[in-house]
Structures are given as C-alpha cells and as structure tokens.
Amino acid sequence: MTDQQDFAEALLAAESTFPPGLSTWNGSDPGRRFAVYRNNVIVSLIDALADTYPVTQELVGAEFFRAMAFQFIQKNPPRSPLLAFYGEDLAAFIETFPPAASVPYLADIARLEMLQVQAYHAADAAPLDAGEISQLLANEPELPRVSFTLHPSLGILRSRHAVVSLWAAHQTDDVTAALAEIAPNTAEAALVLRAGLDVEISRIPVGSAAFIAHLQQGLAFAAAAQQASAADPEFNLAAALCLLIQGDAITSVSLSTTP
Amino acid sequence: MNKTITAASLALALGAAMTVAATPAAAQNKMSDKEHCYGVALKGKNDCKAGAGTTCAGTSMRDHQGNAWSMVPKGTCEKTLSSTSPTGHGQLKEFKEKKA
C-alpha cells in the first residue's frame, strides 16, 4: 500500500522526483522513465480540465489556466477513472486561488461549464404531458402543497456577475466586440437544461432562478413561489412556470407532506 | 406577483403558463425571458483519455510547471474589464507585481 502511495504522490509532486525502489529492465534511468509517465498523467489531467472548461481557459489564457490546473490537480487527484466529471471542485479551488482573484467571475464561469457537462451526461426523463399538468388545476386547494420533480439535467446558477452574458460572448465569432457590451458586475442567473442531446444555457430572471432552485430542492409550490418573491420583487410566477413547461423540465408532481 | 401566495394565484399563474407554453413560437419571448444562446454536444470523455498525454510526445512538454500563475491572466478577462467602467480594473495591473 505504501509503495502505491509513494508512487501516486511522486506522480503529482510539484517537482519531478521519483519514488524509491524503481528499477528498469534495460538499465535505462528509472528517473527519466518515471518522468515520462508522470508527465503523461499531468498533461492528460490538465487536458481533461481544459476540455471541460474552455471559457474559463479563454478568460485567463492557456498559460495561466494550465498552471492553475496543475496546482488544482496536485490538491485534487481524480477519484474516479471517468474523467467526464473530473474537476467538479475547480470553481471552489479558483475561489481560494489568490492569483485568480483579479477575475472575480472566473469561479462562476467554471460552475456554469461544469453544470453544462453534468447536464450533458444526466439521465433522460420523460416530461409530464399537458394533460397531467392540467389535472393539477382540478384540485386547486391542494396546489400550494404540490411539489415538482424536475429534469435530471436541470441546473441553476445564480451569480453576482454577468456569467451568462460573459459565457455567451465566448460562443460568438467576435468575442471582443461581444464583451464590450457587457457589464461584468451585473447579477445574472442561468438555466442549464438539456433538450434532446443539446445542452441549452439560458439567462433567466433571478426570481425565476430562485423559484426553480427551490423547487429542485424539494420545496412545495407555494413555498418556492414565496421565496422567489422575496428574492426578487419582479418575480413573475407564470413566466417561471412557462420556462419549465416549455423546456419539458417537469417530470413528475406529488403532494408534499410538509407545506 | 402578489406578496401573498394563494392557491388561486398559483392556479392562475399555472393556467397562464400552460396557455402560453401551448401556443407555439409567438409566445416564446412574450412570457419567458429565455434567450436561447447555444446548443452544444460535448464529446464524451472516457477512462482512457486519448490525446497528447497518451504518447511519449508529452515528455518534452513542460507546460505544467507551476509558476505561470504568478503572471497576469492573459485571456479575455482584461478586455472584459477594460471595456466597461465599473470597479475592478486596476487589479490586473497591480497584480503583475504580486507574488502569489
């Protein structure tokens, strides 16, 4: 066990070292051979993060991103052989990484990109049809206690920064021109939802985002609407519901036992 | 929205949302502020990630040296910040001197 631990630690060490007890069959330098392996591990993991976080990388440049990713990898080695979700904690790491502090929205951009990956890989779920939703209206007194199960791919991000606009600017051909229109310190909320095989990222009102996030956490209809009204005086419940219905995002309804 | 949430107000909103959602196209921007930005199909990553790292070609890549973050982020963030007037601009410059 301890051999494995030494080996794993040396792989991700800041300086190139190699664990004791290594030997090579042909007499070549074990340090050199280990360095090749070590380098492949690190480069693969950095590449995996760069694939998952393309806009995060664009915001700070590849050189900065890759150096930051290496720091991250040393503290957060993969815990699964599947690299699809590797780097889930990158946003939290960015927040504690002083050199990134000059780009205050960087962590939320990373969160948005991870939600996109998670939405892409989330399970399928059939939406409620219009008839089933109409049935809710037949039992109006129970409506406040109804709770909604939302599509597994659905993600909400509420940010103090203009995350959706910044992210969307990086999907355009002329990024610089698109960025010129954006005030980064405007609060924005994102709805991430898969439609078929496409993950869609939309900017939605902050009240709608609060409502949907509370529903997702299991709050009943009335309580979620109440919270959203408190969070955003402009909250429009019909518009928020419309987002969910049009996005086929409601997969089941039930009566919650708690109000 | 009213401050008090009643069953009737919930029903009204749900009814309105269903009517709008059932009306194709024209309704899309009216009720929802949703802007469709981007649809993307990501390629899957499996447990054997092919790429630069799978060959020994990676050996000479020293790009994981850990000191590059002590520099100013060189991406589009600078453009973003300089193109608007709110706070937070000077930080990038001061940052250059800062040893992290």
Side-chain angles (χ1 to χ4, degrees):
Chain A
M1 259 335 253
T2 176
D3 283 353
Q4 285 180 19
Q5 208 171 347
D6 289 347
F7 193 85
E9 275 169 16
L11 275 180
L12 297 178
E15 297 299 323
S16 187
T17 58
F18 69 99
L22 283 192
S23 60
T24 49
W25 66 276
N26 62 356
S28 62
D29 176 9
R32 254 183 86 86
R33 304 314 301 158
F34 184 81
V36 170
Y37 184 63
R38 173 177 182 274
N39 194 72
N40 286 339
V41 169
I42 293 170
V43 171
S44 300
L45 292 178
I46 293 176
D47 284 349
L49 292 174
D51 270 359
T52 299
Y53 295 105
V55 176
T56 309
Q57 175 170 260
E58 260 183 71
L59 279 168
V60 294
E63 195 178 10
F64 184 98
F65 182 86
R66 296 185 75 86
M68 178 173 78
F70 181 43
Q71 298 285 309
F72 171 81
I73 286 164
Q74 289 177 277
K75 294 198 176 89
N76 303 270
R79 277 174 249 114
S80 153
L82 296 170
L83 289 182
F85 301 120
Y86 180 58
E88 265 178 296
D89 312 327
L90 186 67
F93 174 83
I94 288 172
E95 280 175 344
T96 63
F97 188 61
S102 61
V103 192
Y105 42 82
L106 194 65
D108 279 347
I109 291 286
R111 285 195 177 92
L112 186 60
E113 294 196 289
M114 181 44 76
L115 284 176
Q116 187 186 18
V117 170
Q118 287 169 335
Y120 183 73
H121 292 284
D124 289 327
L128 279 191
D129 63 38
E132 289 170 290
I133 298 173
S134 320
Q135 279 173 17
L136 291 174
L137 291 171
N139 195 0
E140 191 181 301
E142 301 283 21
L143 210 45
R145 290 202 297 126
V146 167
S147 57
F148 296 83
T149 305
L150 304 180
H151 195 276
S153 72
L154 185 144
I156 292 286
L157 178 66
R158 289 181 279 170
S159 174
R160 287 185 289 118
H161 307 287
V163 271
V164 189
S165 302
L166 288 165
W167 179 86
H170 283 84
Q171 316 305 321
T172 60
D173 291 332
D174 190 348
V175 176
T176 309
L179 287 174
E181 309 287 314
I182 300 168
N185 294 328
T186 312
E188 284 189 1
L191 170 70
V192 182
L193 187 60
R194 196 180 66 225
L197 291 176
D198 288 333
V199 177
E200 293 180 1
I201 294 181
S202 329
R203 183 183 169 186
I204 62 171
V206 289
S208 296
F211 175 69
I212 296 170
H214 285 300
L215 286 186
Q216 196 176 33
Q217 286 157 18
L219 240 60
F221 195 4
Q226 196 85 59
Q227 294 277 350
S229 296
D232 177 8
E234 314 255 286
F235 173 58
N236 182 333
L237 178 59
L241 289 165
C242 191
L243 278 177
L244 293 176
I245 296 170
Q246 278 182 337
D248 284 340
I250 303 174
T251 58
S252 73
V253 290
S254 59
L255 273 187
S256 68
T257 44
T258 51
Chain B
M1 268 322 289
N2 292 332
K3 284 276 170 352
T4 30
I5 308 289
T6 61
S9 67
L10 294 176
L12 196 65
L14 186 57
M18 286 180 60
T19 313
V20 174
T23 318
Q28 297 253 336
N29 295 325
K30 195 174 151 206
M31 282 306 289
S32 69
D33 296 359
K34 184 172 167 178
E35 307 170 63
H36 181 140
C37 293
Y38 189 59
V40 67
L42 300 174
K43 60 181 187 280
K45 287 199 204 86
N46 58 22
D47 55 343
C48 169
K49 190 179 176 301
T54 53
T55 70
C56 291
T59 318
S60 59
M61 291 177 67
R62 305 293 295 173
D63 65 351
H64 55 265
Q65 293 299 297
N67 54 0
W69 44 259
S70 64
M71 290 179 281
V72 184
K74 260 191 283 199
T76 51
C77 72
E78 289 175 276
K79 294 169 202 148
T80 313
L81 289 172
S82 61
S83 64
T84 51
S85 45
T87 59
H89 302 262
Q91 290 180 348
L92 279 177
K93 298 287 174 250
E94 284 168 42
F95 175 74
K96 198 176 270 179
E97 273 77 48
K98 190 174 158 190
K99 284 270 189 288

